Amino acid sequence: MNSEQDAERAAFLRREIARHDRLYHVLDRPEIADAEYDALFAELKALEARRPELVVAESPTQRVGAAPLAGFATVAHDPPLLSLDNTYDEADVREWHQRLLDHLGVTALDSPLAAEPKLDGLSCRLVYERGRLVLAATRGNGDQGEDVTANVRTIASVPLLLADGAPPRLDLRGEVVMPRKEFDQLNRALAAAGEKTYANPRNLAAGTLRQLDPQKVAQRPLEFRVWALGRVDGAPLPATHSAAMQWLGELGFKTVARDGCVGDLDAVLRWYRELLARRDEFPIELDGVVLKVDAFALQERLGFTARSPRFARAWKFPARQATTRVRDIVVQVGRTGTLTPVAVLEPVQLSGVTITHVTLHNAAEIARLDVRIGDLVLVERSGDVIPKVVQVAEGARSGAEREFQFPAACPECATAVVKDADFVAVRCPNAACPARLLRGLEHFVGRSAFDLEGFGEKLLAQLIAGGHVRTPADLFRLDFDTLRNLERMGDKSARNLLERIAAAKRRPLERFLFALGIPDIGETAAQQIAHHFATLERVRAATREEVEAIHGLGPASAASLVDFMQSEPGKALLDALAAAGVAALPAAPAGGGPFEGRTFLFTGTLPTLTRAEAEARVKARGGTLLSGVSRKLSYLVVGDAPGSKLKKAQELAIPVLDEAQFLALLERGPEAGA
Ligand code: IVH
């Protein structure tokens, strides 16, 4: 090929690759397979190797610069990168809105509001000249930042060359983030390599952007999303923020506006609630939303205070991470005897809940975190996940912190503990340990088990301490005098408890089995077993082969069930329950029931039922559960914070029930044709 043809081919390949980069990284709409993309890339690389004079800075092969940097140059920002004032609730937002009206001397705003997710990453400023990326800089102190161009060039969603129609000079601002999935993967890889992990995606993104070696940055999947236009020279400005975002999208950027909403105050308030409910489904960690007056003319009239614009506000989500101190580390003894270390914290607010205790799981986890009594720690609560310690602020140590020693004896019954070969699990081997008994009884009386309301931890502890209850069967032998003589117990309460005990003597087989607290037999396994064998007698007589044949039941659960049924303590407990008059109601065989052929999906938190309970009730009546909203769904049951599923169900005209309606439906059976 002659040099002209090579030059043309190189230009074609550069355009094609840039187009596919945009389709994949910006629009999430790839048109070709990875292998085809790789082939285009390899061809361009080979061509450029053969003809080095064809290499240009905007070539996709040049995203990663050659040599590591010695440091970052300082960049002045004009206009400066400001920050946002925060609001925390609807009242704050309404007050801000009213202040806008007062400032403008109007009763209604002559512009909608633009609302966008607030990405939890790092501000970054990009400058393009004649369509080419010439500068990327961090926010720094707002007036001056650092030149991180070499690093930002490696981010695939940052176009090196803009589409046609780009102005001679364009200055824009956005957020560099690491999507949550990539963050988790990277953190796991770092942990496996014995390296220090990062507390959150923002820290990892920040650490990456300040790497001096662009080669390393290129291996970390950062993303860039635009949130504002800076200065534009040589082209007319759009009239609104939303139009500007649309334009930037056409020039090749991913913007935050594509996940946002433009509307009046009420629309924006509604959108905030929806986004908060869907927070965990969003691929990037969000710390709230940003509200902006959409029209640039009004933005200008509203202007700025010292450090922030009047026309925009951040509305923060409840924090999921907070720093607090470890007051103590205590040990809890579980139902199966496992000793679990638990950090006692100075109370701290997390996602609107006060956290006072957080599990540290085991000795290995304590070693991994190197957490000590007195340490300042970062705790996190994601979605409905239980809180955890993410990181210790080692730099904040005074020297007075104490390392935690695992006790050699059970803190409850003083029996010497036994350790696993790998020291991960430490157990109290004493089956009569009062702590084990207490946890076992709590499980037995739990809502998904015997559902014995009123038997709280304090009452059970008293019954154990008084020698009245040594096994769950003893609960059914309690008499009026024993209960009446307990602390803070009146005649009426004692009689109520006795009534509940009498009523609990008949429980469905699946609950009965679950209540026994057999290792690896959770609610679902208990249901499967109950439906398969139908009666307790058959479960007691089952062989391992028979149990293993139950579809969907794991081998560990099968082994555990048979071991329990054939063990002396297991047999003794079942005999004692039978002797006390407790019986398991036979289960309906699998596949039958009034709701056969009907499908259910739950979303949000129900006021009284746990998700597991609600689902168990559906299955017990022959219904099935779906994992997403589709035309196949018969009913969507919604609780608090229902999220996007509700919207979709409404669009598909699928019946939506709240908990009370759901329970009523189960009672009455499905309507014909529903
Ligand atoms: S607008 C004058 N929009 O939040 C500053 N900022 O707490 C205008 N951020 O420094 C900022 N998502 O780094 C804006 N959709 C969004 C944003 C956003 C994240 C960051 C940004 C800013 C910080 C302020």
Side-chain angles (χ1 to χ4, degrees):
M1 254 193 263
N2 64 32
S3 63
E4 208 173 297
Q5 285 170 320
D6 279 345
E8 261 176 40
R9 183 71 186 159
F12 167 78
L13 289 169
R14 284 199 301 265
R15 268 198 316 274
E16 265 307 273
I17 294 169
R19 190 169 75 84
H20 289 301
D21 274 346
R22 177 156 184 254
L23 283 166
Y24 186 92
H25 293 287
V26 177
L27 301 172
D28 301 326
R29 223 169 48 212
E31 281 179 4
I32 57 175
D34 290 358
E36 290 172 79
Y37 176 89
D38 293 345
L40 292 175
F41 205 92
E43 186 189 343
L44 180 59
K45 262 190 121 155
L47 184 53
E48 287 177 345
R50 198 153 51 76
R51 288 200 184 272
E53 71 276 15
L54 294 179
V55 177
V56 294
E58 292 72 46
S59 172
T61 60
Q62 304 301 304
R63 280 201 179 266
V64 187
L69 310 170
F72 299 112
T74 304
V75 179
H77 297 313
D78 177 27
L81 268 80
L82 301 178
S83 94
L84 291 171
D85 285 343
N86 292 327
T87 48
Y88 296 93
D89 56 31
E90 202 174 304
D92 280 356
V93 172
R94 287 186 187 280
E95 194 186 309
W96 164 69
H97 190 260
Q98 186 56 48
R99 250 185 284 140
L100 292 180
L101 299 180
D102 294 348
H103 198 95
L104 295 166
V106 294
T107 51
L109 211 54
D110 189 21
S111 158
L113 296 172
E116 296 158 353
K118 184 168 178 335
L119 310 182
D120 197 8
L122 292 104
S123 303
C124 184
R125 172 183 163 213
L126 303 184
V127 180
Y128 287 79
E129 281 173 2
R130 288 180 304 285
R132 290 179 163 73
L133 176 66
V134 295
L135 175 72
T138 60
R139 177 173 184 277
N141 62 10
D143 294 316
Q144 288 188 330
E146 288 179 320
D147 181 343
V148 287
T149 314
N151 287 344
V152 170
R153 282 176 63 91
T154 69
I155 303 176
S157 46
V158 170
L160 297 178
L161 191 65
L162 299 182
D164 290 346
R169 189 184 151 89
L170 172 67
D171 188 332
L172 52 88
R173 285 97 205 272
E175 205 81 353
V176 171
V177 294
M178 174 145 330
R180 261 203 308 246
K181 198 165 111 214
E182 278 78 15
F183 166 76
D184 287 338
Q185 269 167 10
L186 256 163
N187 240 359
R188 270 200 300 273
L190 288 172
E195 288 182 44
K196 198 114 193 89
T197 53
Y198 288 83
N200 52 46
R202 177 168 29 81
N203 289 4
L204 185 44
T208 305
L209 207 56
R210 300 205 69 261
Q211 263 282 338
L212 289 169
D213 185 357
Q215 297 276 352
K216 292 202 176 125
V217 182
Q219 284 154 21
R220 299 237 175 125
L222 294 175
E223 220 185 276
F224 178 76
R225 296 208 188 185
V226 182
W227 40 250
L229 201 54
R231 247 178 50 196
V232 181
D233 294 340
L237 259 189
T240 61
H241 171 74
S242 51
M245 292 297 115
Q246 168 88 24
W247 177 51
L248 290 172
E250 285 157 14
L251 288 178
F253 295 96
K254 210 165 187 166
T255 74
V256 287
R258 61 187 220 157
D259 296 298
C261 137
V262 178
D264 64 9
L265 183 60
D266 284 335
V268 160
L269 295 174
R270 255 197 321 275
W271 174 83
Y272 168 92
R273 287 190 285 269
E274 277 167 28
L275 186 68
L276 179 56
R278 282 192 293 126
R279 180 185 193 180
D280 292 324
E281 293 163 30
F282 207 82
I284 295 166
E285 181 66 21
L286 304 179
D287 59 346
V289 306
V290 181
L291 310 179
K292 303 169 182 173
V293 173
D294 199 31
F296 284 146
L298 281 189
Q299 286 196 0
E300 225 157 274
R301 277 181 55 197
L302 286 160
F304 301 83
T305 62
R307 291 311 298 172
S308 51
R310 283 198 191 86
F311 57 79
R313 274 293 181 278
W315 182 1
K316 304 280 282 222
F317 285 159
R320 299 213 268 213
Q321 288 193 331
T323 304
T324 188
R325 206 168 284 283
V326 176
R327 281 184 178 161
D328 199 2
I329 297 178
V330 297
V331 164
Q332 276 177 5
V333 185
R335 175 157 57 85
T336 56
T338 306
L339 265 52
T340 306
V342 175
V344 184
L345 304 174
E346 274 172 21
V348 63
Q349 283 283 112
L350 222 52
S351 319
V353 178
T354 306
I355 310 292
T356 55
H357 290 78
V358 55
T359 175
L360 296 170
H361 301 290
N362 51 47
E365 177 69 357
I366 291 182
R368 188 185 75 77
L369 289 164
D370 185 23
V371 55
R372 304 178 191 172
I373 298 162
D375 264 338
L376 210 55
V377 291
L378 184 69
V379 286
E380 176 182 272
R381 187 166 171 267
S382 260
D384 50 8
V385 177
I386 49 171
K388 64 175 182 202
V389 172
V390 214
Q391 210 177 45
V392 172
E394 282 166 17
R397 281 191 179 146
S398 68
E401 295 75 17
R402 279 182 297 123
E403 278 187 41
F404 168 73
Q405 298 297 336
F406 234 98
C410 172
E412 303 284 347
C413 70
T415 308
V417 299
V418 289
K419 292 182 185 166
D420 270 9
D422 55 7
F423 280 85
V424 172
V426 179
R427 282 176 13 91
C428 166
N430 174 16
C433 169
R436 289 185 58 172
L437 187 53
L438 177 60
R439 299 277 101 85
L441 285 170
E442 277 180 334
H443 174 79
F444 188 90
V445 301
R447 260 219 310 236
S448 305
F450 269 76
D451 195 14
L452 270 166
E453 215 190 311
F455 283 83
E457 184 178 349
K458 288 216 174 73
L459 176 59
L460 291 173
Q462 276 193 68
L463 290 169
I464 295 169
H468 306 297
V469 173
R470 287 191 187 80
T471 81
D474 295 334
L475 290 171
F476 298 93
R477 295 204 194 86
L478 289 171
D479 55 31
F480 181 80
D481 287 339
T482 308
L483 287 171
R484 180 66 191 85
N485 287 329
L486 295 174
E487 276 168 44
R488 285 193 299 273
M489 180 72 68
D491 284 4
K492 186 149 179 273
S493 308
R495 260 193 295 276
N496 279 342
L497 289 176
L498 285 175
E499 268 173 33
R500 292 196 192 121
I501 291 169
K505 284 187 173 172
R506 299 272 173 281
R507 284 290 181 243
L509 178 57
E510 58 266 31
R511 282 163 165 262
F512 188 108
L513 291 174
F514 174 63
L516 298 174
I518 306 167
D520 289 311
I521 306 293
E523 274 184 272
T524 312
Q527 277 162 17
Q528 288 167 324
I529 297 161
H531 285 140
H532 185 85
F533 292 106
T535 67
L536 181 60
E537 288 62 44
R538 289 204 204 115
V539 178
R540 291 189 74 170
T543 65
R544 192 178 292 198
E545 291 70 36
E546 284 170 322
V547 184
E548 275 174 2
I550 301 177
H551 180 72
L553 199 74
S557 307
S560 180
L561 177 76
V562 177
D563 285 353
F564 177 88
M565 293 296 163
Q566 264 143 46
S567 70
E568 286 315 317
K571 286 192 219 165
L573 175 59
L574 292 173
D575 292 344
L577 282 167
V582 184
L585 300 176
F595 283 88
E596 197 180 346
R598 308 295 161 120
T599 59
F600 288 77
L601 174 64
F602 295 89
T603 180
T605 315
L606 299 177
T608 72
L609 294 174
T610 63
R611 186 64 67 86
E613 268 180 300
E615 293 183 349
R617 289 184 190 207
V618 167
K619 287 193 225 155
R621 287 163 183 77
T624 11
L625 295 156
L626 290 190
S627 57
V629 178
S630 72
R631 287 188 196 285
K632 285 191 217 127
L633 184 64
S634 317
Y635 308 97
L636 179 74
V637 185
V638 299
D640 247 12
S644 58
K645 290 186 181 122
L646 175 58
K647 206 165 137 210
K648 189 141 179 231
Q650 285 165 340
E651 280 163 17
L652 295 175
I654 288 164
V656 174
L657 313 173
D658 62 17
E659 187 190 86
Q661 291 167 323
F662 164 69
L663 292 172
L665 174 76
L666 292 189
E667 280 299 309
R668 137 185 122 234
E671 273 136 39

